[in-house]
Amino acid sequence: MTYDALILQLIEFLGTFAFAISGIRHAAAKHFDWFGGYVCGIAVAIGGGTIRDVMLGTIPFWMTNPFYIICTAVALVFVIVFARHLERLHNTWFVFDTLGLALFNIAGIQKSLVFGFPYWVAIIMGCITGAAGGVIRDVLLNNEPVIFHKEIYAMAAVLGGITYWILSILGIPVEVTVMSSFVVTCLMRFLAVRYHLSLPILKNE
C-alpha cells in the first residue's frame, strides 16, 4: 500500500467513526431503538461515499472492507455506554459532525484525483462525500436536510476543497495540503455556527 493510499484509508476510517456518532445522536433525539440508531449511523457514515463511488464508476468502499460496518457498530456501543456522559455535552455532537464533514471531504477529493478526475470534479465529489450522508439521515428522520436551511455546511466543504486545489497547484506537500483543507473546513463550519452565518435565502416575491 502506497503512502497516499494509507493516508486516504486512515481519513475514511476516522470520518466513518465521527459521522456514525453524529447519525446515532440524531436518531437518539428521535427516540429510535438501537437498530434504528445503527441504520442512521451507517447512512451518514457510508451514504456520501457510496454516492461518490457510484459516480466515479467504482465499487463502493464499504463493500470491499467490513471495517466501516464494524466501525459504525463500535460507534453505537460507544454512544450507548457513555450516553449519560455525552448527553450533557451537546457541543460534542457538533464537533463530531464537523470532523466527519472535513475528513470525508478530503477523502472524496483524494479518491477522485486518484481516479484521474480534474480538481473541479474532485471538489464536487468531496462535497458529496461529506454532505450527502447527512441528507440521507435527515430524510430517514423526516427532517428538512440541514444543508438547505441552516448555517453554512456544504459550502464549508467546498471552501476546504478549493484550499486543497490551490495548495496543490503551489506544490505544497500533501500532508500540509490535507491539514490545511481540514482546518479551513472545520474553521468555516465553527465560525458559521458561532456567528450564525448563512447564505442568502431565496424569496418568493
Side-chain angles (χ1 to χ4, degrees):
M1 180 181 294
T2 64
Y3 181 68
D4 289 347
L6 181 61
I7 292 178
L8 175 61
Q9 191 171 64
L10 178 61
I11 289 172
E12 287 195 335
F13 286 171
L14 293 175
T16 298
F17 188 75
F19 259 14
I21 288 182
S22 171
I24 295 167
R25 166 254 180 171
H26 283 82
K30 286 278 189 174
H31 305 291
F32 280 25
D33 60 18
W34 289 5
F35 179 75
Y38 181 82
V39 170
C40 287
I42 201 71
V44 182
I46 71 172
T50 299
I51 295 175
R52 172 204 66 207
D53 287 348
V54 170
M55 295 181 71
L56 293 179
T58 187
I59 299 174
F61 65 102
W62 58 270
M63 296 180 70
T64 59
N65 190 338
F67 177 87
Y68 302 95
I69 307 297
I70 297 171
C71 185
T72 303
V74 172
L76 176 64
V77 173
F78 179 83
V79 172
I80 292 171
V81 172
F82 296 102
R84 291 185 178 181
H85 302 285
L86 296 178
E87 184 179 356
R88 297 190 297 270
L89 303 176
H90 296 293
N91 289 335
T92 302
W93 303 122
F94 166 69
V95 171
F96 275 126
D97 188 69
T98 300
L99 293 178
L101 174 66
L103 291 168
F104 268 32
N105 181 47
I106 295 171
I109 292 172
Q110 290 193 324
K111 191 163 190 175
S112 300
L113 294 176
V114 167
F115 275 76
F117 287 92
Y119 271 100
W120 66 270
V121 174
I123 292 173
I124 295 173
M125 291 297 104
C127 184
I128 289 175
T129 307
V135 175
I136 297 173
R137 173 204 64 207
D138 290 338
V139 170
L140 290 175
L141 295 173
N142 197 30
N143 292 332
E144 186 176 6
V146 174
I147 67 170
F148 296 148
H149 68 96
K150 286 192 176 181
E151 302 91 352
I152 292 174
Y153 189 83
M155 282 304 300
V158 172
L159 291 175
I162 293 174
T163 300
Y164 194 107
W165 183 10
I166 294 175
L167 294 182
S168 297
I169 292 176
L170 295 176
I172 304 299
V174 65
E175 297 87 353
V176 178
T177 299
V178 167
M179 182 57 64
S180 299
S181 177
F182 176 83
V183 170
V184 168
T185 303
C186 289
L187 185 61
M188 190 64 223
R189 179 73 176 129
F190 289 145
L191 291 175
V193 172
R194 175 65 178 84
Y195 296 103
H196 305 288
L197 303 176
S198 61
L199 296 176
I201 297 175
L202 289 172
K203 295 182 179 180
N204 184 16
E205 299 296 338

